[in-house]
Amino acid sequence: MTSEQHNEQSPQRPPERPPGRTPEQTPSQLPTVTYAFAVCRRCDPAALAGLPGLDDAAPVRTLAAGPLTAVVQDVSAVDFAEDALRQRLTDRDELERCARAHHEVIMAASAVTPTVPLPFATLYLGDARVRAALREKEESFLAALGRFNGRVEWGVKVYTAPAPPASSPAPPSGVAPGVAPGVAAGNGRAYLDRVRSRHQVREQHQNDALQAAERVDAVVRGLAVAARRLRPHGVEVTGAHRTHVLNAAYLIDSARESELRAALEALRREETAVQIELSGPWAPYSFADGPDGGVPR
């Protein structure tokens, strides 16, 4: 399911931006659109009580459509029009606030029922359009909810462990008076050998980390029902002191959490060339786009 305003796969043009607010309008009188967070079978509204969502002028609520329920919220059509949303996404603080609010609602729903997370900024012109989208995708949503029942997503990141410090090779000194040219050449070759050796050590360190990451992936994949490799982070996220060599998501039965943690503890002791980080459990974000999004066993 995707946004009618921004990413719906249909030839419809985006709706025109509604007129701006007038001073005499109260929040309840402003035009709204329906923001959709997630899809489930049934969700106890009490699990969503008190969540601010994206716009605290209206509550986060459920919207039934046949066997499915959408978790939605009415948001200002002005504040979430295409231009306004684009501007909001360029504001780092506002983007973080909205992303956290989106995630908070999805996690609240997934804590009480199997849930298909929807992409950030999934917007519809009204409840009727949400129901129509759920009916259109009913079969795929029900299949996804069946896959997610009793399962959660875990994230595993593997980084190169910091390499042992190595002193930089000193360049050869100048040729002193009376020193034979052959001696100076020997000093230069020794310097180049030291540089080459440092490069080889770094390459070996990286290769060891990559092989360790593959072993980590193989172990966790053996516990999972589906797995997905994600793009590793760059140095702007990890810092220059380590390299991200594995970024993966795994869909795992909830009952296997202790088994997963024990396996990673053993791997941390064995794989000294890397640092291993576990995050979760999460709603199954990485597998929400269907079985092709993962690697089924």
Side-chain angles (χ1 to χ4, degrees):
M1 184 188 300
T2 51
S3 166
E4 287 188 345
Q5 288 190 346
H6 305 291
N7 58 356
E8 186 176 48
Q9 296 179 358
S10 74
Q12 290 184 328
R13 296 179 55 193
E16 295 181 359
R17 182 173 178 172
R21 302 185 184 192
T22 59
E24 63 274 10
Q25 282 181 305
T26 65
S28 62
Q29 294 173 321
L30 294 171
T32 62
V33 291
T34 305
Y35 187 106
F37 296 92
V39 176
C40 50
R41 290 182 184 270
R42 294 287 182 269
C43 181
D44 182 358
L48 309 173
L51 293 175
L54 273 294
D55 186 345
D56 56 11
V60 177
R61 58 189 173 87
T62 58
L63 179 64
L68 296 172
T69 296
V71 179
V72 301
Q73 183 179 34
D74 296 329
V75 296
S76 165
V78 173
D79 295 341
F80 283 83
E82 187 171 10
D83 291 344
L85 184 59
R86 185 182 301 113
Q87 182 176 359
R88 174 173 293 184
L89 298 184
T90 62
D91 182 325
R92 184 172 181 175
D93 291 340
E94 180 64 7
L95 174 59
E96 182 176 355
R97 183 195 73 80
C98 291
R100 286 183 180 277
H102 181 85
H103 172 70
E104 184 179 31
V105 173
I106 290 172
M107 291 302 292
S110 66
V112 297
T113 185
T115 300
V116 178
L118 297 178
F120 178 72
T122 296
L123 294 159
Y124 291 89
L125 293 177
D127 288 1
R129 299 299 291 269
V130 178
R131 288 191 174 99
L134 264 59
R135 285 193 295 269
E136 179 184 352
K137 300 290 187 180
E138 181 177 303
E139 185 177 343
S140 61
F141 276 126
L142 290 173
L145 291 169
R147 290 196 309 275
F148 298 160
N149 188 31
R151 294 166 177 163
V152 292
E153 177 175 326
W154 291 91
V156 175
K157 292 181 170 62
V158 178
Y159 304 88
T160 56
S167 58
S168 299
S173 58
V175 179
V179 175
V183 173
N187 288 342
R189 283 193 296 270
Y191 168 72
L192 293 176
D193 287 343
R194 291 194 297 271
V195 170
R196 189 178 302 111
S197 176
R198 289 190 65 207
H199 287 320
Q200 290 172 345
V201 168
R202 283 198 296 267
E203 288 178 2
Q204 186 61 51
H205 186 67
Q206 182 71 8
N207 288 336
D208 290 345
L210 290 171
Q211 292 174 17
E214 292 302 320
R215 290 190 290 270
V216 171
D217 178 61
V219 169
V220 182
R221 198 174 282 258
L223 301 172
V225 296
R228 167 174 265 182
R229 292 284 189 101
L230 307 174
R231 185 187 300 276
H233 299 310
V235 293
E236 66 280 359
V237 175
T238 66
H241 64 291
R242 60 180 186 173
T243 303
H244 199 180
V245 291
L246 177 68
N247 186 17
Y250 304 90
L251 186 64
I252 298 178
D253 291 340
S254 299
R256 305 192 78 170
E257 177 177 347
S258 59
E259 191 177 352
L260 169 65
R261 292 186 182 278
L264 288 180
E265 279 303 311
L267 284 166
R268 289 187 181 104
R269 291 192 296 269
E270 297 167 4
E271 303 294 352
T272 57
V274 295
Q275 297 171 335
I276 303 170
E277 294 181 359
L278 175 68
S279 64
W282 310 115
Y285 288 96
S286 301
F287 306 94
D289 54 357
D292 292 339
V295 183
R297 289 176 63 188

